[in-house]
Amino acid sequence: MRILERSVYVGPSLYAHFPVIKVVLDLGPLEDWPTARLGPAYIDTLVATLPGLQEHGCSWGVPGGFIRRMREDEGTWLGHVFEHVAIELQNVAGEEVTFGKTRSVDVEKAGRPGVYTVVYEYAQRDEGIEAGELAIQLLCSLLPPELQPADSVPAGWTWATARDEFIRYAQRRALGPSTASLVKAAEDRNIPWLRLNDQSLIQLGHGKYQQRIQATVTGRTSHIAVELAQDKEETNKILANCGLPVPKQELVRSADRAVRAAERLGFPVVTKPFNGNHGRGISIGLATADEVRAGFAAAAEHASSVIVETFLHGEDHRLLVINGELIAATRRTPGHVVGDGARSVRELVDTVNQDPRRGVGHEKVMTRIELDAQADTMLARQGLAVDSVPVCGQTVLLRSTANLSTGGTATDVTDVIHPDNRELTVRAVTAIGLDVGGVDFLCPDITESYKDARNAGSGICEINAAPGFRMHVAPSVGTPRDAAGPVIDMLFPAGSASRVPIAAITGTNGKTTTSRMLAHIAKMAGHTPGLTTTDGVYIDGQRTVEGDMTGPVATRMVLADPKIDIAVLEIARGGLLRAGMGVPWVDVGAVLNVQSDHLGMKGIDNLEQLAEVKRVIVEVARDCAVLNADDENVIRMSAHTDAKHLCYVTISPQHASVGGFMREHIRAGGRACALEHGVNGQMITLYDKGRHIPLMWTHLIPATLEGRAMHNVQNAMFAAACAFSLGLKLDAIRQGLRTFDTTFFQAPGRMNVYDEHPFKVIFDYAHNAHAVGVMADLAQRLDVRGRRIVVVAGPGDRRDEDIRDIALAVAGRFDHYVCRRDDGLRGRAPDEVPKMIAAVLREQGVPEDAITLIPDEQEAIDAALRMGRSGDLLLVFADALTRSWKQVIKFKPDAAAGGAPRAATAPPKPAPEPADDALAMAAHDEGAMQAAGFVRDERGLRFVGEAGD
């Protein structure tokens, strides 16, 4: 049994709308050994090892369902068992994950039987991966020796050790209890969050609305206040000057000075580090010089200076103040056992640790008590050892401090604290200047005032700038308190924003241009957009990171930027298949088209599978799904979204297959964007809730080349529909479209036009047959006085039929063809792709003298430029965009090219079609709509499947 391949999805993907890990698992010979054949002993041992498996419902949907699956008939295969064990291991480490799915891989595709695709949910990436590795070790360790795969179980491996090491591994990477409670409180308030490092630095909110926390220190916590709280000597002075009860103390730097200080202050005393926390290095109740020396040594391990202070009498309390209000009060008791006159200290500790609420570290609400050097010291002070048998009822302390992390317990006393003690606490934290502070307060009776004689000797021993919340949110005894909620309410008062609007755009072609258009519209509307594209991350129009940034990493970059107030995300197929989306949901999700590209890669072999991948964007759209009504694969996605609104985009409302459906959708109050013919040309028109909104003539949009570039007309329509759905004003949408052009600066590689040569150059990144065909159509629409020349190529990692389709898309449309390859061969021979394209062109009747084969991109573009003459049109499909564009603009035409630069002239505009309403097509009654697979709801019409499907 071994893992062949692993993918970690950080967000919505083809497999789930939350983080999951997908592994391709090869069972090898174990394919012949389902659980029933392995026998009841194997199943029983596995369940005894992981009792939580009894709660797994599996396909039965009830506790015990998975155990039933393993026992019934032939049982289930170990790939399926692996899924459940990987999930349960994370449960053991304290995570709440439940989802899993296992499917066998087709034998023909895998090349052999016994290969499975296993998907399981995870909470932390590294923990989830390690759970998969440990699952294999555990399952193999339980097999009979003759079935155990070689090297599957490390030498000396034991389950108990591996389990505890896994729990500690998980905890080192998990959010601590306090940070986790704050994150949960944020989630409960629908506030998004990002983890900014491997520790506890968290961003709450997106963009300009963000706040940060690190554990329980907030971005608003005063640096001076934190410094004061860490300086225990200075804190003591400030509180004393406020008239608050504090112990007398001295700061020392040697053991001898510590002893002399203790003698001046009077025994017993406490020693602690000058700037420690979490109870580290503190020794209390020191009554002799030797004990003081030992206490100094313990404190000196954590700080160069040590505080010696008078010993305050009473019980240890932690009082939590947030934003000037006491939120919780807890009495803390050091780790201890109570004798029964029969069992030793060691046996009593074992019994206490059997409490299901105790675990390793922060795994549970309480921590196991450890018998270590500190415990030995405490036992020695009480005249005991680990094998001593305490008398019945004797309390045996095993720690000097009451921290939960060392086995202490917590009892909530919030409801009984005396008002004077409550006021004392708030005054102390306010005096230091903390927004979140913990007060360590010792007194015999918290229900009585610290001023009362019965509480003589009470006092504040220190103030904590990053108080832990675990004792308050999950006390050992008493009422749990919401310690995290008030912090979040302080950072995000009622009515304040925490999210930025997010639009996600995908499709085979046009998504980069549409995303850029939408970001430009947002900027014209006064927003500061963050944009992810195939050529980089842009903040407010400026590129901050270069490269293909269409995956979840780029999404996090944008949402973490403190300037942005709107996000536009171009989402590519590769990122979705590799790691999923970077956000759990978006406000607006748009799918432009689904065309043949990248098929045969990463398990996507046909358009239906590709559509399923791209559909993820509309599945997680909450407010509006924007869909191409002219693309059958896209319109079917309307059956898979719960968005409040469906917005259909069409450039062909006159077609009977679209018009009737669109008319019914609009009459039902649905949202749409349609291209309508009018007296002055073609008008982009919006519909919403019965309103008819003429938006803009297409010839006024520079990116459409006076309305001739229909692919950019469609891109502009999608950008307008998305902007409208994001709530941007109509005037801003119009202004954005009027001022967006296709210069290389604004849209590199997207129909860039260069008119400074005697001939026109159109420069584009099209790299699949559909996109190449669109640009070839544009070349035909332009009135060209001279020749049409094209530089054409195809990516080497595409299927042979895809490269053939690219050649067919240009065949017969140009006067001369320059065939080249990309710099990256991607598994092809250096001249293989251009030869394939040339062969198809010859098949289509292109004369031999009209084909030039130049594999190198730079040489091919240079040759095409040198062919250019006055009045020619040169269409260049480029791969290395910046290099190739510089090559175009820096080219010096030969004198033979002659004449002044001449732009192509436009053909006369077509006469408007005689239709009062381009959407008023042949009537479709309700029955016809249902027969076609559409149903009407409050959002308009959506596809649910054709009759008989």
Side-chain angles (χ1 to χ4, degrees):
M1 187 190 305
R2 61 194 179 101
I3 293 175
L4 302 178
E5 179 186 321
R6 179 187 290 113
S7 299
V8 180
Y9 297 92
V10 301
S13 67
L14 189 60
Y15 306 100
H17 290 170
F18 42 81
V20 294
I21 292 173
K22 183 195 82 171
V23 300
V24 179
L25 185 69
D26 185 1
L27 294 186
L30 293 174
E31 170 70 1
D32 297 328
W33 289 86
T35 52
R37 186 179 179 189
L38 287 171
Y42 183 87
I43 299 172
D44 292 344
T45 305
L46 176 61
V47 175
T49 304
L50 286 175
L53 291 174
Q54 298 177 78
E55 301 300 317
H56 291 214
C58 198
S59 57
W60 290 94
V62 294
F66 175 61
I67 307 300
R68 184 174 177 180
R69 281 289 306 277
M70 287 198 292
R71 295 188 188 280
E72 66 181 0
D73 300 328
E74 60 184 354
T76 189
W77 274 257
L78 288 183
H80 184 207
V81 179
F82 166 86
E83 167 207 320
H84 282 268
V85 171
I87 292 170
E88 182 56 29
L89 286 171
Q90 294 178 80
N91 295 158
V92 168
E95 309 291 1
E96 295 182 6
V97 294
T98 59
F99 174 81
K101 181 167 57 178
T102 301
R103 298 289 184 271
S104 60
V105 179
D106 182 73
V107 174
E108 183 176 345
K109 194 169 186 178
R112 58 188 178 280
V115 178
Y116 292 79
T117 296
V118 183
V119 176
Y120 60 91
E121 186 180 359
Y122 72 91
Q124 302 175 58
R125 179 185 184 279
D126 292 341
E127 176 190 352
I129 292 173
E130 188 64 22
E133 298 291 344
L134 182 56
I136 289 179
Q137 292 176 358
L138 175 59
L139 291 174
C140 290
S141 72
L142 301 180
L143 291 169
E146 64 273 13
L147 292 179
Q148 285 187 9
D151 302 322
S152 60
V153 182
W157 186 92
T158 66
W159 162 244
T161 301
R163 177 199 59 208
D164 288 354
E165 287 179 352
F166 172 70
I167 292 172
R168 292 188 178 94
Y169 177 89
Q171 289 182 357
R172 287 195 298 271
R173 287 153 180 81
L175 297 175
S178 302
T179 309
S181 69
L182 287 164
V183 165
K184 183 179 185 306
E187 290 177 336
D188 292 343
R189 290 158 175 78
N190 197 29
I191 296 171
W193 62 279
L194 298 172
R195 189 172 184 177
L196 300 180
N197 64 8
D198 292 334
Q199 287 75 48
S200 55
L201 182 61
I202 302 295
Q203 174 185 311
L204 302 173
H206 289 157
K208 75 175 188 179
Y209 304 118
Q210 65 181 267
Q211 300 285 341
R212 290 180 179 177
I213 59 171
Q214 184 154 15
T216 59
V217 175
T218 77
R220 298 182 181 181
T221 303
S222 163
H223 177 72
I224 292 177
V226 173
E227 290 291 318
L228 285 175
Q230 290 179 336
D231 188 331
K232 300 185 186 303
E233 181 186 31
E234 200 63 40
T235 296
N236 184 275
K237 291 178 181 178
I238 290 175
L239 298 182
N241 290 338
C242 291
L244 299 174
V246 292
K248 296 178 181 179
Q249 60 179 214
E250 293 187 23
L251 186 69
V252 299
R253 291 182 172 82
S254 70
D256 291 338
R257 290 183 180 273
V259 171
R260 289 198 291 272
E263 291 171 345
R264 286 192 294 271
L265 295 171
F267 291 100
V269 295
V270 174
T271 57
K272 58 186 178 182
F274 168 71
N275 57 355
N277 54 31
H278 296 295
R280 298 186 184 97
I282 297 178
S283 302
I284 65 174
L286 308 179
T288 67
D290 288 341
E291 288 182 352
V292 170
R293 292 180 187 278
F296 176 87
E301 293 180 3
H302 303 276
S304 59
S305 299
V306 174
I307 288 175
V308 181
E309 67 181 24
T310 54
F311 178 66
L312 297 177
H313 295 275
E315 294 184 301
D316 184 0
H317 299 86
R318 167 60 64 82
L319 311 177
L320 179 65
V321 174
I322 299 172
N323 202 23
E325 181 181 353
L326 179 72
I327 299 300
T330 301
R331 182 176 67 246
R332 301 184 295 182
T333 305
H336 67 280
V337 293
V338 178
D340 61 3
R343 289 177 293 179
S344 68
V345 171
R346 189 191 306 276
E347 292 170 325
L348 292 170
V349 168
D350 289 341
T351 301
V352 168
N353 284 340
Q354 290 175 11
D355 185 334
R357 295 175 299 169
R358 291 189 184 269
V360 177
H362 296 305
E363 171 199 359
K364 304 283 183 65
V365 297
M366 293 192 294
T367 302
R368 294 177 188 169
I369 298 175
E370 299 289 342
L371 290 175
D372 52 15
Q374 189 175 357
D376 291 340
T377 300
M378 291 298 298
L379 287 170
R381 289 183 182 178
Q382 300 164 84
L384 299 171
V386 293
D387 293 321
S388 302
V389 178
V391 299
C392 186
Q394 180 183 1
T395 298
V396 179
L397 295 178
L398 298 169
R399 286 293 185 275
S400 60
T401 57
N403 296 80
L404 267 65
S405 58
T406 57
T409 56
T411 302
D412 179 74
V413 294
T414 307
D415 293 333
V416 298
I417 185 172
H418 192 277
D420 285 349
N421 300 336
R422 182 183 294 267
E423 179 189 12
L424 162 83
T425 304
V426 173
R427 285 183 60 204
V429 173
T430 304
I432 299 303
L434 293 169
D435 56 347
V436 179
V439 178
D440 288 345
F441 180 61
L442 274 70
C443 73
D445 188 354
I446 197 71
T447 66
E448 300 292 337
S449 171
Y450 72 94
K451 304 173 185 177
D452 193 284
R454 285 170 291 184
N455 272 336
S458 301
I460 298 171
C461 53
E462 64 181 66
I463 306 291
N464 295 274
F469 286 178
R470 181 166 68 142
M471 69 187 75
H472 306 299
V473 300
S476 313
V477 180
T479 305
R481 303 292 170 175
D482 179 14
V487 176
I488 303 302
D489 293 338
M490 174 183 68
L491 297 175
F492 295 93
S496 62
S498 64
R499 292 182 177 273
V500 301
I502 302 174
I505 298 169
T506 193
T508 304
N509 298 310
K511 55 186 177 291
T512 299
T513 300
T514 303
S515 299
R516 287 179 173 276
M517 282 182 173
L518 180 55
H520 182 71
I521 292 170
K523 186 172 175 62
M524 292 297 101
H527 289 280
T528 302
L531 169 67
T532 68
T533 72
T534 50
D535 66 309
V537 171
Y538 292 77
I539 303 298
D540 199 22
Q542 300 298 313
R543 185 162 65 179
T544 58
V545 181
E546 185 176 354
D548 186 348
M549 303 300 290
T550 54
V553 172
T555 297
R556 286 174 58 90
M557 285 183 184
V558 164
L559 297 179
D561 192 281
K563 288 179 60 179
I564 68 115
D565 59 8
I566 191 169
V568 180
L569 311 176
E570 178 187 346
I571 306 294
R573 169 210 59 90
L576 285 171
L577 288 173
R578 183 174 58 255
M581 293 181 66
V583 286
W585 55 268
V586 298
D587 298 282
V588 175
V591 181
L592 278 58
N593 46 62
V594 178
Q595 300 293 334
S596 178
D597 195 16
H598 297 280
L599 297 183
M601 301 168 65
K602 291 187 175 292
I604 305 302
D605 300 317
N606 54 56
L607 287 181
E608 289 72 22
Q609 292 175 334
L610 183 60
E612 189 176 355
V613 174
K614 294 185 179 295
R615 194 179 72 201
V616 172
I617 278 74
V618 297
E619 290 176 353
V620 299
R622 290 199 174 178
D623 189 63
C624 186
V626 183
L627 302 174
N628 187 346
D630 301 324
D631 189 316
E632 182 180 354
N633 283 309
V634 176
I635 202 170
R636 289 173 176 269
M637 297 179 187
S638 63
H640 299 273
T641 181
D642 293 325
K644 297 176 185 176
H645 303 280
L646 290 171
C647 179
Y648 295 111
V649 177
T650 178
I651 61 173
S652 305
Q654 69 276 12
H655 290 172
S657 60
V658 176
F661 156 72
M662 289 291 286
R663 186 195 63 174
E664 292 299 321
H665 174 70
I666 290 168
R667 286 185 175 180
R671 187 175 297 172
C673 183
L675 188 64
E676 298 182 345
H677 294 284
V679 175
N680 196 33
Q682 294 179 316
M683 171 67 73
I684 295 176
T685 306
L686 293 169
Y687 290 86
D688 187 48
K689 298 178 182 177
R691 291 186 297 160
H692 174 265
I693 309 169
L695 184 68
M696 196 170 185
W697 298 108
T698 59
H699 63 265
L700 297 179
I701 303 173
T704 69
L705 298 184
E706 297 188 347
R708 297 185 206 93
M710 291 304 298
H711 66 291
N712 266 358
V713 170
Q714 185 180 61
N715 293 337
M717 293 171 69
F718 270 99
C722 290
F724 182 79
S725 299
L726 287 170
L728 301 184
K729 294 181 179 179
L730 293 174
D731 286 345
I733 299 174
R734 295 184 179 108
Q735 178 69 6
L737 293 178
R738 283 194 190 101
T739 55
F740 183 89
D741 57 35
T742 57
T743 61
F744 187 83
F745 171 77
Q746 195 157 34
R750 272 70 187 177
M751 202 183 70
N752 311 131
V753 179
Y754 192 73
D755 272 328
E756 300 302 316
H757 297 322
F759 49 88
K760 180 190 288 288
V761 178
I762 298 180
F763 182 88
D764 200 90
Y765 180 60
H767 53 277
N768 60 63
H770 178 262
V772 168
V774 165
M775 294 306 299
D777 286 342
L778 174 62
Q780 299 303 302
R781 289 172 181 268
L782 296 176
D783 185 15
V784 178
R785 182 170 58 85
R787 300 172 302 164
R788 292 179 174 86
I789 303 170
V790 64
V791 178
V792 62
D797 59 355
R798 302 305 195 268
R799 302 173 303 174
D800 288 357
E801 55 263 44
D802 296 328
I803 295 175
R804 178 179 178 82
D805 287 343
I806 288 174
L808 290 173
V810 296
R813 298 185 175 191
F814 295 87
D815 298 297
H816 199 92
Y817 301 82
V818 179
C819 305
R820 66 163 188 84
R821 58 162 169 78
D822 292 345
D823 291 348
L825 299 180
R826 305 187 188 187
R828 299 276 186 179
D831 58 354
E832 184 176 355
V833 169
K835 282 184 175 179
M836 291 172 65
I837 293 173
V840 174
L841 294 176
R842 295 188 193 98
E843 290 175 10
Q844 299 301 308
V846 177
E848 187 67 41
D849 60 0
I851 302 172
T852 302
L853 197 72
I854 305 177
D856 181 77
E857 181 175 43
Q858 295 182 76
E859 294 176 4
I861 293 174
D862 182 70
L865 289 168
R866 293 186 182 282
M867 292 178 191
R869 295 294 181 265
S870 179
D872 288 353
L873 172 64
L874 172 58
L875 176 57
V876 176
F877 293 113
D879 180 53
L881 296 182
T882 301
R883 182 190 71 195
S884 299
W885 180 249
K886 288 180 178 179
Q887 193 175 351
V888 168
I889 64 176
K890 292 182 178 181
F891 174 73
K892 302 298 182 183
D894 295 334
R902 176 184 177 89
T905 57
K909 292 185 175 67
E913 295 187 7
D916 294 332
D917 181 357
L919 294 176
M921 298 294 108
H924 283 63
D925 59 21
E926 192 74 17
M929 288 293 99
Q930 293 179 0
F934 295 94
V935 297
R936 184 196 307 267
D937 60 19
E938 68 279 1
R939 302 175 295 178
L941 264 64
R942 63 187 179 93
F943 181 84
V944 294
E946 296 178 3
D949 280 357

